[in-house]
Amino acid sequence: MNIMDFNVKKLAADAGTFLSRAVQFTEEKLGQAEKTELDAHLENLLSKAECTKIWTEKIMKQTEVLLQPNPNARIEEFVYEKLDRKAPSRINNPELLGQYMIDAGTEFGPGTAYGNALIKCGETQKRIGTADRELIQTSALNFLTPLRNFIEGDYKTIAKERKLLQNKRLDLDAAKTRLKKAKAAETRNSQLNSARLEGDNIMSEQELRITQSEFDRQAEITRLLLEGISSTHAHHLRCLNDFVEAQMTYYAQCYQYMLDLQKQLGSFPSNYLSNNNQTSVTPVPSVLPNAIGSSAMASTSGLVITSPSNLSDLKECSGSRKARVLYDYDAANSTELSLLADEVITVFSVVGMDSDWLMGERGNQKGKVPITYLELLN
């Protein structure tokens, strides 16, 4: 027998098997053939695996949207991943906003209140952008990658074995149908003592034993694979904890950055609030997440926030108050007083002076100082 004859016979056998399965499947759908049902335990495992696959895909895709809202950027990263190449680094939105703020502040002048505030805000936005980049990298490694590995690896293996089990089940039921028909034919022709029909009956019984054995073996293989879904859930739970920890770190960093920025800007100065017709200050949360730590709590202890009412009281009274300088200020002319960050000076109100300014005094030096650069102390 040459190779060509063997390939033709194998092709014919495969075609016959495929046709037999198609006929059996069609007859089952039409209710003309019996179907071997899987045991309840195996059916539950199959249902659990399918449910796990569906929700894992949804969670994975929505996490990708959360971490990278730009669909074009996601497509680009997907293409580079499939090409096994590293995607080019791109500036993210907080970093871009921060750079714009810094450039604007530099253009307006770092010595001006608005210019200095823009630079401070820009630097904070860039720090948030860096933290955002770290969140994406950590989440992709510790959360998205394990989920994707399950979808593209473990579940593909399960789906392959499940399909093979379905084929073995169709082969088994087709063999049962043929044996049933052979016995019926044998009964009808028993008076003829047909040796041919008896031989067909024996062959059908042998075929049934073989297909039953193959089906049972494939059912066991599939069952063992499906029982691993519980281990998959346990692994994904650990990955979920890693994702939550990464988010907790990110939000704690962002909170601390904004808390420091708020301190630098004087915590909503009165002139900003009056320009925006605001009458209240958003309170700082009294309880911070554990991720911020005691150091972050300690950094705000003893801090006296300059409120609109404090500044108004100072304007209306004739007395003086101590104030801490929030950041450096270069005097624009001889009527103003230059300031150094963190120094403490004496300030008081002068009748007729612009509402954005107070008189400042340091030793023998005296001059106008901008309110936005000060923090009144008790």
Side-chain angles (χ1 to χ4, degrees), residues 20 44 147 150 198 204 211 246-247 281 320 329 349:
S20 174
N44 288 336
L147 297 187
F150 167 73
E198 184 179 353
S204 297
T211 54
Q247 284 186 301
V281 178
S320 62
Y329 176 74
S349 175

Side-chain angles (χ1 to χ4, degrees), residues 9-66:
K9 290 183 177 181
K10 183 177 185 301
L11 182 62
D14 291 342
T17 301
F18 176 80
L19 181 61
S20 174
R21 290 170 181 171
V23 170
Q24 177 66 27
F25 182 79
T26 302
E27 290 180 348
E28 288 175 357
K29 290 298 182 181
L30 296 175
Q32 298 174 354
E34 295 181 1
K35 175 182 175 181
T36 299
E37 299 294 340
L38 303 177
D39 66 80
H41 177 61
L42 186 55
E43 286 284 6
N44 288 336
L45 290 176
L46 288 170
S47 177
K48 183 178 180 180
E50 182 66 19
C51 182
T52 301
K53 180 254 187 181
I54 292 173
W55 284 109
T56 299
E57 282 184 331
K58 290 184 177 181
I59 292 171
M60 182 180 69
K61 291 179 180 179
Q62 192 57 37
T63 302
E64 291 173 343
V65 173
L66 173 68

Side-chain angles (χ1 to χ4, degrees), residues 83-361:
L83 295 176
D84 198 20
R85 295 174 57 185
K86 184 178 180 181
S89 178
R90 68 170 62 87
I91 187 170
N92 57 32
N93 291 329
E95 290 173 330
L96 184 59
L97 174 60
Q99 190 59 54
Y100 285 164
M101 286 182 169
I102 291 174
D103 292 344
T106 303
E107 184 74 17
F108 297 152
T112 65
Y114 185 42
N116 194 298
L118 278 172
I119 292 175
K120 297 294 184 183
C121 288
E123 292 172 347
T124 299
Q125 290 296 333
K126 295 189 79 170
R127 292 191 188 98
I128 291 175
T130 300
D132 184 68
R133 193 182 301 278
E134 292 173 353
L135 171 65
I136 292 175
Q137 293 174 348
T138 302
S139 300
L141 178 64
N142 297 334
F143 187 59
L144 288 177
T145 298
L147 297 187
R148 188 175 293 108
N149 288 342
F150 167 73
I151 296 297
E152 298 179 356
D154 294 349
Y155 189 80
K156 279 190 175 181
T157 302
I158 290 174
K160 178 181 177 181
E161 297 299 329
R162 181 177 184 176
K163 183 178 180 180
L164 188 56
L165 176 63
Q166 170 75 351
N167 290 337
K168 296 298 183 183
R169 201 269 308 161
L170 289 172
D171 292 343
L172 173 61
D173 287 338
K176 289 180 178 178
T177 300
R178 284 191 290 271
L179 178 59
K180 184 177 180 181
K181 290 179 179 179
K183 286 185 176 181
E186 183 182 10
T187 301
R188 289 194 304 269
N189 297 280
S190 58
Q191 66 275 17
L192 300 177
N193 295 321
S194 174
R196 184 179 63 82
L197 291 175
E198 184 179 353
D200 290 344
N201 196 356
I202 294 174
M203 290 180 61
S204 297
E205 290 177 349
Q206 291 176 343
E207 182 186 15
L208 178 60
R209 285 195 295 270
I210 293 173
T211 54
Q212 181 71 59
S213 175
E214 291 179 348
F215 171 77
D216 292 340
R217 179 175 177 275
Q218 185 59 38
E220 181 65 15
I221 293 174
T222 306
R223 182 186 64 79
L224 292 174
L225 280 174
L226 291 171
E227 287 178 346
I229 291 294
S230 296
S231 298
T232 298
H233 282 194
H235 178 52
H236 287 181
L237 174 59
R238 292 191 294 270
C239 296
L240 180 62
N241 286 332
D242 291 339
F243 178 54
V244 171
E245 184 176 349
Q247 284 186 301
M248 183 177 64
T249 301
Y250 168 72
Y251 291 124
Q253 287 176 324
C254 292
Y255 179 84
Q256 187 61 51
Y257 292 153
M258 298 310 296
L259 192 66
D260 293 341
L261 176 62
Q262 187 185 49
K263 289 165 57 180
Q264 292 176 355
L265 297 182
S267 299
F268 305 97
S270 60
N271 58 321
Y272 290 168
L273 295 175
S274 60
N275 289 341
N276 291 314
N277 297 320
Q278 296 176 353
T279 58
S280 63
V281 178
T282 302
V284 177
S286 59
V287 180
L288 302 180
N290 293 333
I292 297 178
S294 59
S295 60
M297 294 287 288
S299 66
T300 60
S301 61
L303 174 63
V304 181
I305 302 298
T306 305
S307 65
S309 59
N310 288 339
L311 294 172
S312 299
D313 292 344
L314 182 59
K315 283 292 197 178
E316 294 172 359
C317 70
S318 58
S320 62
R321 294 278 296 276
K322 293 292 185 182
R324 184 174 69 86
V325 178
L326 295 174
Y327 34 82
D328 297 346
Y329 176 74
D330 295 327
N333 52 55
S334 59
T335 65
E336 299 179 4
L337 181 65
S338 295
L339 304 173
L340 295 175
D342 293 327
E343 70 171 323
V344 177
I345 63 173
T346 301
V347 294
F348 53 92
S349 175
V350 175
V351 177
M353 181 178 291
D354 189 282
S355 61
D356 294 340
W357 297 81
L358 291 172
M359 286 300 295
E361 191 174 82

